[in-house]
Amino acid sequence: MSQTEPRSDRETKKSLRFDHPSGILRLTQHDAVPVLLDAVLDLPPGREFNKSEFADHAGVTRQTVANYTDLFLEMEVFETVPNTTPQRYRVADSDVVRELYEFNSALNTAGE
């Protein structure tokens, strides 16, 4: 992409990215998501939590967690724990979570 590309072309291309986002853009386009993902990365496998517990762990409000719970379920970051009230969740046993750990590990070792 040229540095001299007209601003309107850049804006159009950026808009198209948000109209048809990749998985990573879809997940990270929200300000709170990186903080929530960082909190996911230091939970022990199989650890159950409700929204309030996860909010406390992440250092955000319960409302912030509630805002992104459906996204995390859809993207297979969280899974529900059946027959729990209030609803409990755990970090999903999914390819997405395994790749998230791998990606984080690669980022942590980059430049060493």
Side-chain angles (χ1 to χ4, degrees):
M1 182 169 88
S2 167
Q3 292 287 10
T4 61
E5 185 176 359
R7 181 179 174 100
S8 63
D9 287 346
R10 286 193 311 267
E11 290 172 357
T12 299
K13 288 178 182 177
K14 183 177 180 181
S15 177
L16 287 171
R17 289 192 177 279
F18 282 96
D19 290 345
H20 305 283
S22 65
I24 195 76
L25 180 58
R26 186 162 167 240
L27 188 60
T28 61
Q29 68 181 324
H30 309 282
D31 291 341
V33 168
V35 172
L36 298 175
L37 288 175
D38 192 64
V40 165
L41 289 168
D42 62 24
L43 283 175
R47 168 78 187 278
E48 294 182 11
F49 50 87
N50 62 31
K51 291 175 185 172
S52 295
E53 292 165 342
F54 188 72
D56 185 57
H57 173 72
V60 299
T61 65
R62 184 189 178 289
Q63 185 59 52
T64 297
V65 173
N67 289 344
Y68 299 106
T69 298
D70 287 343
L71 176 65
F72 276 33
L73 289 166
E74 183 181 336
M75 300 297 283
E76 298 181 355
V77 175
F78 287 173
E79 59 190 21
T80 59
V81 177
N83 305 316
T84 55
T85 305
Q87 180 64 62
R88 296 187 69 76
Y89 306 89
R90 66 179 149 242
V91 176
D93 181 14
S94 69
D95 289 341
V96 169
V97 171
R98 283 186 284 282
E99 294 297 329
L100 180 62
Y101 281 106
E102 289 292 322
F103 185 50
N104 186 59
S105 180
L107 290 173
N108 285 337
T109 59
E112 288 185 358

